[in-house]
Amino acid sequence: MSNVKMCVGARSDTPYYMKHFDTQLYSIEELCYIITQNAFLLEEEDFDDNLIEWIRDRLHLNPLSDMLINLKNGNAGLFEIVMTILGYVGYNTEKEMREVRSLLEQSSHMDQFDKKLNKARMYLDQGKLSSAEEEYRYLEDSLPDGALNELAVVYHNQGVILARKFYFMEAAERFRKEYDIAHTKSALMSYMYAVRICMTEKQYIDYMADNKDAYLLSMELEKKMSDAGLIYDAGEDKHQLATLSVYKAEGNLTAYKDGMNEIIRNMKEEYRGMCS
């Protein structure tokens, strides 16, 4: 029984929505878990007055809420606030506490754009494509003129998002913008993958004939795609199913169910037509 941990405070019937991480919290331990899993991405705005009120009124942790209010009134930084919460609750191991401390110190030296890039990447890795797309759109519009390496990363990951949604032509445009900045083989290959999948055989051959750089890599691309079984018709049915998978992953169950019902109706009509 040595691994059993006592919970601190009450479990709230009313969840607290932590917008930054798109998460509903019901207990102070869940907040500690979010902190340890996302320490590199935490911002002072995550620990606002609404969270402190929820800790006091819903979790009945008045001593902790008083400590946080005093820290805020004294203009304490993110490090002091986070470590105060973790220290009070006692949910985390000493190793986890050290890791959080180290990540917070590293994060303090990052500018807002680096934090935004990490946040967008987190959403992308979690499959939250709409949230990632929103963050990358903000970065595309806001990055300073000289931040070309960061802009190339934005274009690449925008292309990844669009490709996962089966918008291959739009993805190709983003990969092309990445290549125009980075001039790397990997950027050009990403662009060619997207172009190859969304074009017919004739369109692709005509395109290769007019693009010398792409033509030199086309044989390598063909072999890789053939080995991976990626040369196929990216038709409307596959596009629709890919879009529905995104809806399901992001929790948009209404759109997911409506789309599945439409597919089933179309299949029934097609079957009736075959049998008539």
Side-chain angles (χ1 to χ4, degrees):
M1 300 293 288
S2 60
N3 292 326
V4 174
K5 295 183 178 181
M6 297 294 292
C7 292
V8 175
R11 179 178 172 82
S12 175
D13 293 329
T14 303
Y16 178 81
Y17 178 62
M18 206 165 192
K19 183 178 180 181
H20 187 165
F21 302 105
D22 190 23
T23 299
Q24 304 267 25
L25 302 177
Y26 289 87
S27 70
I28 197 69
E29 286 78 20
E30 290 174 344
L31 175 59
C32 292
Y33 178 81
I34 289 295
I35 288 173
T36 55
Q37 295 299 306
N38 302 280
F40 205 58
L41 303 174
L42 294 173
E43 299 174 0
E44 287 188 33
E45 292 77 11
D46 295 325
F47 303 90
D48 59 12
D49 293 342
N50 292 326
L51 176 62
I52 295 174
E53 289 176 9
W54 179 76
I55 290 172
R56 181 192 65 212
D57 298 338
R58 298 296 179 178
L59 305 184
H60 308 302
L61 292 173
N62 295 58
L64 177 58
S65 65
D66 290 342
M67 293 166 67
L68 295 175
I69 290 171
N70 289 334
L71 287 172
K72 297 275 281 188
N73 290 339
N75 295 319
L78 177 65
F79 182 90
E80 290 86 353
I81 292 171
V82 169
M83 298 312 296
T84 295
I85 293 172
L86 296 184
Y88 181 91
V89 178
Y91 172 78
N92 301 98
T93 65
E94 284 298 321
K95 179 182 178 183
E96 289 171 337
M97 296 276 282
R98 287 195 300 271
E99 289 174 350
V100 170
R101 188 178 292 109
S102 174
L103 289 171
L104 288 173
E105 290 172 349
Q106 293 176 46
S107 175
S108 67
H109 301 297
M110 295 171 61
D111 63 28
Q112 61 169 323
F113 296 114
D114 286 332
K115 289 185 177 182
K116 279 284 187 181
L117 283 167
N118 279 286
K119 182 180 178 182
R121 184 70 211 192
M122 176 194 72
Y123 284 139
L124 180 56
D125 291 342
Q126 292 176 348
K128 297 177 180 177
L129 302 186
S130 296
S131 297
E133 198 167 23
E134 182 179 341
E135 294 295 332
Y136 284 123
R137 190 180 302 117
Y138 170 85
L139 284 162
E140 181 185 4
D141 295 337
S142 305
L143 282 170
D145 293 338
L148 294 180
N149 290 336
E150 291 82 359
L151 186 59
V153 171
V154 169
Y155 285 144
H156 176 83
N157 287 331
Q158 285 177 328
V160 171
I161 292 168
L162 289 164
R164 288 188 184 180
K165 291 183 174 182
F166 272 48
Y167 295 117
F168 292 113
M169 188 57 74
E170 292 85 350
E173 178 189 344
R174 291 288 145 176
F175 291 134
R176 181 73 197 196
K177 287 188 174 185
E178 177 198 6
Y179 177 70
D180 288 342
I181 294 173
H183 299 290
T184 61
K185 177 181 176 181
S186 61
L188 182 57
M189 288 291 281
S190 295
Y191 169 70
M192 291 171 59
Y193 271 119
V195 167
R196 178 65 181 93
I197 289 175
C198 69
M199 287 184 175
T200 65
E201 193 78 21
K202 184 179 185 306
Q203 288 174 330
Y204 181 67
I205 291 173
D206 290 343
Y207 173 80
M208 285 296 108
D210 295 331
N211 291 269
K212 182 179 178 181
D213 290 344
Y215 178 77
L216 295 175
L217 290 174
S218 62
M219 297 307 295
E220 179 182 348
L221 174 72
E222 289 294 305
K223 184 178 187 308
K224 287 184 177 180
M225 294 187 71
S226 178
D227 291 344
L230 290 176
I231 299 179
Y232 63 96
D233 175 25
E236 181 60 30
D237 56 339
K238 294 183 177 67
H239 181 190
Q240 190 173 12
L241 287 171
T243 302
L244 291 179
S245 70
V246 171
Y247 287 152
K248 185 177 181 182
E250 296 187 340
N252 191 348
L253 297 182
T254 299
Y256 172 74
K257 290 178 180 178
D258 290 345
M260 289 301 297
N261 287 334
E262 181 183 350
I263 290 176
I264 292 170
R265 283 196 301 271
N266 292 340
M267 291 176 67
K268 286 180 178 179
E269 289 177 6
E270 183 178 351
Y271 177 72
R272 293 190 187 104
M274 292 171 62
C275 296
S276 61

